[in-house]
């Protein structure tokens, strides 16, 4: 089943999605500051995106959509390829551990 969210009437739709990679990092959450709220008055109305700047860190920053830059297709391909290679290396190590563990039994 596909996860869905409902956007109340009067709210604009977000430009970005959870899980999307940007130049700032990985979007891990979004929050809407409605026009008639104190937060919107103080910080501006609209969607606020929470971005994990580094997957090996707990640092999360928040940005409005006009502060976010998408990765180019080439940048996204480089990031994804590096992640694939990292996972393949982890699989290789686990396979070696599994094979070594079976001979010790």
């Amino acid at each position: 089943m596909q996860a869905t969210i409902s956007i109340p009437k009067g709210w604009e739709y977000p430009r970005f999605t959870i899980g999307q990679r940007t130049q700032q990092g990985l979007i891990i959450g979004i929050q809407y500051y409605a026009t008639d709220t104190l937060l919107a008055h103080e910080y501006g109305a609209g969607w606020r995106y929470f971005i994990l700047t580094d997957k090996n860190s707990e640092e999360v920053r928040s940005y409005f959509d006009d502060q976010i830059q998408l990765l180019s297709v080439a940048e996204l391909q480089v990031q994804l390829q590096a992640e694939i290679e990292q996972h393949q290396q982890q699989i290789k190590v686990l396979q070696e551990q599994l094979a070594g563990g079976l001979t010790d039994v």
Side-chain angles (χ1 to χ4, degrees):
M1 181 176 197
Q2 182 75 11
T4 60
I5 61 169
S6 297
I7 307 292
K9 288 184 179 185
W11 289 19
E12 60 192 61
Y13 283 91
R15 280 184 51 203
F16 306 104
T17 60
I18 293 174
Q20 192 168 9
R21 297 165 190 263
T22 69
Q23 289 188 6
Q24 290 74 24
L26 179 69
I27 297 176
I28 60 169
I30 58 175
Q31 181 177 5
Y32 190 73
Y33 289 6
T35 307
D36 58 349
T37 65
L38 178 62
L39 287 173
H41 178 70
E42 194 162 324
Y43 301 107
W47 289 101
R48 192 107 174 140
Y49 298 85
F50 299 93
I51 296 182
L52 185 63
T53 58
D54 180 346
K55 71 177 186 174
N56 297 313
S57 168
E58 290 184 354
E59 182 179 3
V60 175
R61 294 187 179 175
S62 63
Y63 298 90
F64 282 106
D65 26 10
D66 62 345
Q67 299 171 305
I68 296 174
Q69 290 107 18
L70 291 177
L71 295 170
S72 69
V73 172
E75 290 170 321
L76 183 58
Q77 287 175 335
V78 167
Q79 261 193 21
L80 293 175
Q81 188 59 44
E83 199 166 322
I84 288 168
E85 289 169 8
Q86 182 182 27
H87 287 295
Q88 287 174 333
Q89 183 62 32
Q90 289 175 333
I91 290 169
K92 183 179 177 184
V93 168
L94 291 172
Q95 287 172 331
E96 289 170 1
Q97 289 176 356
L98 181 62
L102 292 178
T103 58
D104 293 340
V105 176

